[in-house]
Amino acid sequence: MKFALALAVLTAVGYSRDASAEINNCINITSVPATITTQGVYCLKQHVTTNLASGNAINVMVNNVTIDCNEFKLGNLASGSATQAIGIRAEGRNNLTVRNCGVRGFRTGVMLTNGQYRVEDSRFDFNTQTGLHVTGDGSAIRRNEIIETGESTVAGVTEFHGILAAGDMDIIDNNITGVVATSGGTRHAYGIRTTGMDSGVLRNNRVRNLVSTGLLGNRRGIWNQDGGHNTIEGNTVIMSGDLLIGDAGIRCGGGLILSGISRNNTILGTGVLNSALALINCTSVSGDYVNPL
């Protein structure tokens, strides 16, 4: 009984501690779906839960918006693994910030595309395909926790991401734990995946517990799919077991050489025979450490 009570208290603290950032001077979102059409500061002053099979819980249709959840939860767990809903959505917006949010149980926790965004100090857990998806030059993803992502049962889903990003941006000090592909076919698990990144910075991120499925399924810790001139510094990627063909610890970019510099990264658990796959297309400047165990 004491353990259950302690667990309940810890859970409550995890989503509602220090709920003061914007709790007084903001427009409270009390229920979802909600559409934001006026610029300003929006917030949660309580947990908000829903059961969306599709659509967006919060849809931002205007620039110059801050959403501060004050450590409260936007939850959709009741929808199950077949949900196609998105927690917070925006397309083509500028000066949009999402912070201090707990977003869980959506196909994608937050999807902000083709604009300029900040996502910071938030937690994304038990989302079924992608924790956080951001595209747009000049954006920033920083100090977030992305936990236990994956196992969507939507037909045709083959790729699962902690963070999915595109454009020249900063991805700094994020913790990705547990990206698990749905069993039953060839499916891939990415900690952080970027496309079209040229002159990006990925610094001090942690990636662990990636699970792919099928003989050709891949695990990729930090995968810069294309682009170059990136700075990859101080990240930690922990793989479990040998890296197979297609797996990777860190890939700096799309070119054969000089796609980006790597400095002070740690890649563990690559396997004795496959340690060369720990760093791909990287110019190692100093301090990178690869351990096969």
Side-chain angles (χ1 to χ4, degrees):
M1 182 67 178
K2 290 181 179 179
F3 175 78
L5 179 60
L7 181 61
V9 170
L10 287 172
T11 301
V13 169
Y15 276 109
S16 60
R17 61 180 173 79
D18 192 26
S20 59
E22 296 290 350
I23 203 163
N24 294 315
N25 301 309
C26 61
I27 301 168
N28 187 21
I29 300 172
T30 58
S31 63
V32 293
T35 299
I36 294 175
T37 58
T38 302
Q39 64 183 356
V41 178
Y42 294 77
C43 65
L44 300 186
K45 297 183 181 182
Q46 66 291 304
H47 297 310
V48 175
T49 58
T50 187
N51 182 9
L52 291 178
S54 61
N56 309 308
I58 300 174
N59 192 19
V60 182
M61 302 293 291
V62 66
N63 298 330
N64 306 313
V65 167
T66 294
I67 299 174
D68 192 325
C69 297
N70 290 298
E71 300 290 344
F72 288 109
K73 172 188 66 182
L74 175 62
N76 193 48
L77 280 179
S79 64
S81 60
T83 185
Q84 301 204 51
I86 297 168
I88 301 174
R89 178 75 172 106
E91 165 68 24
R93 302 300 160 193
N94 294 309
N95 193 28
L96 170 57
T97 298
V98 175
R99 66 189 182 208
N100 300 322
C101 290
V103 184
R104 60 179 358 192
F106 295 89
R107 180 174 175 177
T108 299
V110 167
M111 180 183 287
L112 311 175
T113 53
N114 300 322
Q116 188 272 319
Y117 305 103
R118 298 285 182 276
V119 182
E120 54 195 20
D121 301 307
S122 293
R123 177 186 299 171
F124 305 90
D125 58 354
F126 301 101
N127 297 292
T128 63
Q129 183 179 8
T130 300
L132 175 57
H133 183 182
V134 176
T135 73
D137 291 349
S139 296
I141 301 169
R142 53 199 179 198
R143 300 184 305 276
N144 300 288
E145 296 179 70
I146 301 94
I147 303 169
E148 298 302 329
T149 305
E151 302 196 52
S152 171
T153 56
V154 174
V157 172
T158 61
E159 297 177 333
F160 299 82
H161 311 90
I163 294 174
L164 177 61
D168 304 338
M169 67 176 69
D170 294 341
I171 302 176
I172 296 174
D173 198 18
N174 300 283
N175 178 25
I176 297 96
T177 299
V179 179
V180 180
T182 308
S183 60
T186 297
R187 297 183 173 95
H188 314 287
Y190 297 82
I192 300 173
R193 181 185 184 183
T194 75
T195 62
M197 178 177 279
D198 195 359
S199 71
V201 174
L202 292 97
R203 178 182 296 126
N204 296 340
N205 301 287
R206 284 83 57 201
V207 176
R208 58 177 71 85
N209 299 346
L210 305 180
V211 180
S212 60
T213 61
L215 292 176
L216 300 178
N218 302 137
R219 297 169 301 144
R220 292 165 173 173
I222 296 175
W223 184 262
N224 296 292
Q225 185 165 315
D226 48 26
H229 304 97
N230 298 313
T231 299
I232 318 297
E233 180 178 13
N235 302 285
T236 297
V237 175
I238 303 174
M239 311 294 284
S240 55
D242 289 359
L243 295 183
L244 304 176
I245 294 174
D247 289 350
I250 296 175
R251 186 178 197 257
C252 288
L256 295 178
I257 58 174
L258 302 179
S259 291
I261 67 162
S262 60
R263 178 191 296 120
N264 298 328
N265 299 287
T266 300
I267 305 96
L268 304 177
T270 62
V272 174
L273 297 178
N274 299 289
S275 61
L277 299 177
L279 288 166
I280 299 175
N281 298 350
C282 300
T283 300
S284 185
V285 177
S286 65
D288 287 323
Y289 177 78
V290 177
N291 190 328
L293 303 177

